[in-house]
């Protein structure tokens, strides 16, 4: 919780002082509405979430204030985040999480951090090096695996990503491993289309490992703000994305983007990245997040 508060420092600095100034004027007049609108948009909450919040606050201010204005804002933010349902984990075994996203968003680091977390809670974990295109990508994953103390299944550079993924799932079965986390390329240096390559991983695993509990988690860089929503849509349309990970919250004042991202995509944020270390990944707990933002 303290780490999350630190991680959100930049967003909070941008939001909190001005928020207090606006909401604690006591009246929610047109000027206050405009100021609040501008502020929420600048924190990357997006037009829809901003409008919804303003409308709700307007109603609640008119009815009389049953709580402090910041608490009311917190409740409205929470209502938007809570509206996105959390799917049950897939029933099959091993649990296979294919981690996807454009280049540089933090996929490989997130995988290292997830492996560390899962291992700490007692799960056995295996990583699959399916970014077979970028030089040094495999070694980078191996370094994270070493730090987390989990094995990696790899082949050579240029190997077929889907074949490596299947290999990893087979190996996980043989070793009775709970969770396989698959690293993928963010951009291909060949003419192969990234989406086609990722689709192939799913096609092959569905056909050849139908008993696995397969899902895709999409990694997004919070610094990309509103633009990450469009970027995400392309992935969500083509692949079974059941979770989001929002990275680099520590290095942005655009942390508010977590709210419209869920709202627009209808996919829950599972974890947030708050630094470059092994332990710098936190489950996205709705109440702690809002509380870290407005207190
Ligand atoms: N500050 C901060 N940096 C992060 C976080 N997550 C990842 N990074 C940094 O972002 C950079 C890219 O991370 P990678 O994990 O290599 O990203 P990737 O998506 O695997 O990149 P490609 O394999 O090139 O597609 C690295 O310098 C990471 O240390 C985070 O939560 N906070
Ligand atoms: Mg990578």
């Amino acid at each position: 919780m303290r780490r999350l508060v630190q991680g959100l420092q930049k967003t909070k600095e941008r939001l909190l002082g001005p928020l207090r100034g606006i909401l604690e004027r006591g009246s929610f007049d047109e000027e206050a509405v405009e100021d609040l609108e501008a502020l929420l948009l600048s924190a990357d909450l997006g037009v829809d979430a901003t409008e919804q919040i303003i409308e709700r606050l307007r109603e609640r201010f008119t009815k009389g204030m049953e709580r402090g204005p910041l608490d009311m804002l917190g409740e409205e933010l929470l209502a938007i985040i809570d509206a996105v349902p959390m799917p049950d984990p897939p029933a099959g075994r091993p649990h296979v999480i294919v981690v996807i996203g454009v280049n540089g968003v933090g996929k490989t680091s997130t995988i290292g951090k997830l492996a560390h977390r899962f291992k700490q809670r007692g799960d056995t974990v295996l990583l699959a090096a399916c970014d077979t295109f970028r030089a040094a990508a495999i070694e980078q994953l191996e370094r994270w695996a070493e730090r987390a103390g989990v094995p990696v299944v790899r082949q050579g550079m240029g190997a077929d990503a889907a074949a490596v993924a299947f290999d990893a799932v087979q190996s996980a079965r043989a070793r009775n491993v709970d969770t396989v986390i698959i690293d993928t390329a963010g951009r291909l240096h060949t003419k192969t289309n990234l989406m086609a390559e990722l689709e192939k991983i799913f096609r092959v695993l569905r056909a050849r490992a139908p008993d696995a509990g397969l899902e895709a988690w999409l990694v997004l860089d919070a610094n990309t703000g509103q633009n990450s929503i469009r970027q995400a849509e392309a992935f969500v349309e083509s692949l079974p994305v059941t979770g989001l990970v929002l990275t680099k919250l520590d290095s942005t004042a655009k942390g508010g983007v977590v709210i419209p991202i869920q709202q627009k995509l209808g996919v829950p944020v599972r974890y947030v990245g708050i630094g470059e270390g092994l332990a710098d990944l936190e489950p996205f707990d709705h109440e702690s997040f809002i509380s870290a933002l407005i207190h």
Side-chain angles (χ1 to χ4, degrees), residues 5 16 58 61 66 155 190 192 214 217 222 231 246 269:
V5 173
L16 197 57
R58 215 197 282 266
F61 269 82
E66 76 273 31
Q155 292 178 12
T190 64
T192 323
L214 184 59
W217 286 9
Q231 190 186 90
L246 198 65
V269 173

Side-chain angles (χ1 to χ4, degrees), residues 130-151:
C130 295
D131 179 354
T132 55
F133 284 84
R134 189 168 60 74
I138 299 173
E139 288 71 23
Q140 195 191 347
L141 185 72
E142 284 179 325
R143 274 200 303 280
W144 277 103
E146 215 166 280
R147 292 168 75 187
V150 300

Side-chain angles (χ1 to χ4, degrees), residues 102-109 111 131 134 137 140-141 183-186:
V102 303
N103 65 298
V105 289
K107 294 180 294 299
T108 307
S109 336
I111 290 167
D131 179 354
R134 189 168 60 74
Q140 195 191 347
L141 185 72
D183 193 21
T184 64

